[in-house]
Amino acid sequence: MSSLSNNSFTQPSEFHLMCLPGPRSHQLGLSVVLALLFIVALGANALLLLTVRLEESLHQPVYYLLSLLSLQDLVLCLTVIPKVLAIFWLGWWSISFAGCFLQMLIVNTFLTMESSTFLVMAYDRYVAICHPLQYPSIITDCFVAKAIVFIVTRNFLLLAPVPILSARLHYCGNTIIRNCLCGNLSVSQLSCGNITLNQLYQFVVGWTLLGSDLVLITLSYAFILRAVLRLKAEGAAAKALSTCGSHFILILFFSTILLVLVLTNVVKKRVHADIPILLNVLHYIIPAALNPIVYGVRTKEIKEGIHRVLRKVRG
């Protein structure tokens, strides 16, 4: 769709997402699973946000951070999954040039925002367990507001160049993206120009952000574990660890799927080409569906708040 005329390039007006081509029955089966997970993710996160909003007892920094995580999950779900379902159900394979890079921007920035949010939540648990007397003066509403500004600014400024660099490339004919969404590498590989800068920038910035978050989260939990092991009161260690359980499970959801996705891309010659694509899609829906459920089941205050909100709705 792009052409070279008078030594100038004409960019394509749209791309085409080749999302898991295969038997129609397989696509329909997968789409049903994705649709169910999508409904669960939307409903569970919306209910959690509504509960925190309506229940004054949940107007605390830790629940504001959880609400931020739910908002991020909702944005990622709404950015990726409806388009995937439209491809499977309606055959809407095309995505506009601008829409493609907008999706790339949202996916890149919000994915790393989630990682940063987990880091702030880990710090919250560290202060709660290692410095409980100072917790009310350290983890305040002002702290949460500053943390949100930091998370948004840091990730947007560092990752906004990724779609900008890709959009500036010249696309000379091939517009078929072998993915279900507009990933930087999937799109830039269609270019007839040099994409070394795109690859290098995403690799360095992406893994610097995710890697630094993971290191700091690990250090937080190492300090937490050391503090817990020093507790001598009966049941104190178990109670302290239970306050971290939900958060730790959420981190496992996020990091495990991401790790599997990375490993399958590394050994992609040994696995079917559709496996990394499928894992990439699942990474945006499975944590989003399970995160609010885990907190709702494991956190007494949220569980009771949800029950009260549901009673108000029914009444």
Side-chain angles (χ1 to χ4, degrees), residues 12 62 66 94 105 107 116-117 123 125 143 152 157 169 176 188 199 202 204 244 253 255 272 281 302-303 313:
V62 63
L66 183 58
S94 62
L105 173 64
V107 166
S116 300
T117 303
Y123 178 70
R125 292 299 85 198
F143 167 82
V152 173
L157 290 180
L169 292 171
I176 298 177
S188 60
Q199 294 173 319
Q202 174 164 316
V204 172
C244 300
F253 287 155
S255 58
H272 194 279
V281 173
I302 292 180
K303 187 189 301 183
V313 172

Side-chain angles (χ1 to χ4, degrees), residues 129-151:
I129 292 175
C130 298
H131 304 283
L133 297 180
Q134 288 78 38
Y135 181 84
S137 60
I138 296 175
I139 308 299
T140 62
D141 290 353
C142 182
F143 167 82
V144 172
K146 291 178 179 179
I148 292 174
V149 171
F150 166 75
I151 289 170

Side-chain angles (χ1 to χ4, degrees), residues 60-263:
Q60 301 176 34
V62 63
Y63 301 118
Y64 294 148
L65 291 172
L66 183 58
S67 297
L68 176 63
L69 186 65
S70 285
L71 281 173
Q72 292 163 351
D73 282 335
L74 283 173
V75 171
L76 285 170
C77 275
L78 291 169
T79 302
V80 174
I81 304 303
K83 181 59 180 176
V84 175
L85 294 178
I87 291 172
F88 287 152
W89 291 345
L90 304 173
W92 291 356
W93 303 90
S94 62
I95 183 171
S96 69
F97 187 83
C100 184
F101 293 107
L102 176 60
Q103 185 188 63
M104 188 187 299
L105 173 64
I106 294 173
V107 166
N108 284 337
T109 53
F110 275 81
L111 187 63
T112 53
M113 280 183 197
E114 281 205 340
S115 174
S116 300
T117 303
F118 283 129
L119 171 59
V120 177
M121 294 172 75
Y123 178 70
D124 169 85
R125 292 299 85 198
Y126 162 75
V127 175
I129 292 175
C130 298
H131 304 283
L133 297 180
Q134 288 78 38
Y135 181 84
S137 60
I138 296 175
I139 308 299
T140 62
D141 290 353
C142 182
F143 167 82
V144 172
K146 291 178 179 179
I148 292 174
V149 171
F150 166 75
I151 289 170
V152 173
T153 304
R154 171 208 194 205
N155 292 285
F156 181 81
L157 290 180
L158 289 177
L159 287 164
V162 172
I164 293 174
L165 288 171
S166 290
R168 292 184 63 189
L169 292 171
H170 299 302
Y171 297 91
C172 309
N174 183 10
T175 61
I176 298 177
I177 302 171
R178 299 192 179 280
N179 206 332
C180 293
L181 65 151
C182 290
N184 174 46
L185 298 182
S186 300
V187 176
S188 60
Q189 286 171 357
L190 303 180
S191 168
C192 51
N194 189 329
I195 65 171
T196 303
L197 179 59
N198 296 63
Q199 294 173 319
L200 184 62
Y201 187 86
Q202 174 164 316
F203 179 81
V204 172
V205 174
W207 285 108
T208 296
L209 291 174
L210 294 174
S212 61
D213 288 346
L214 181 59
V215 169
L216 292 173
I217 289 171
T218 302
L219 285 175
S220 296
Y221 273 97
F223 287 128
I224 289 172
L225 184 60
R226 186 180 68 174
V228 166
L229 292 177
R230 292 177 177 176
L231 296 176
K232 297 181 180 180
E234 184 177 353
K239 183 178 179 180
L241 287 176
S242 68
T243 66
C244 300
S246 300
H247 179 238
F248 188 70
I249 292 173
L250 266 57
I251 293 174
L252 284 180
F253 287 155
F254 180 85
S255 58
T256 301
I257 296 180
L258 188 62
L259 179 61
V260 171
L261 176 60
V262 171
L263 291 176

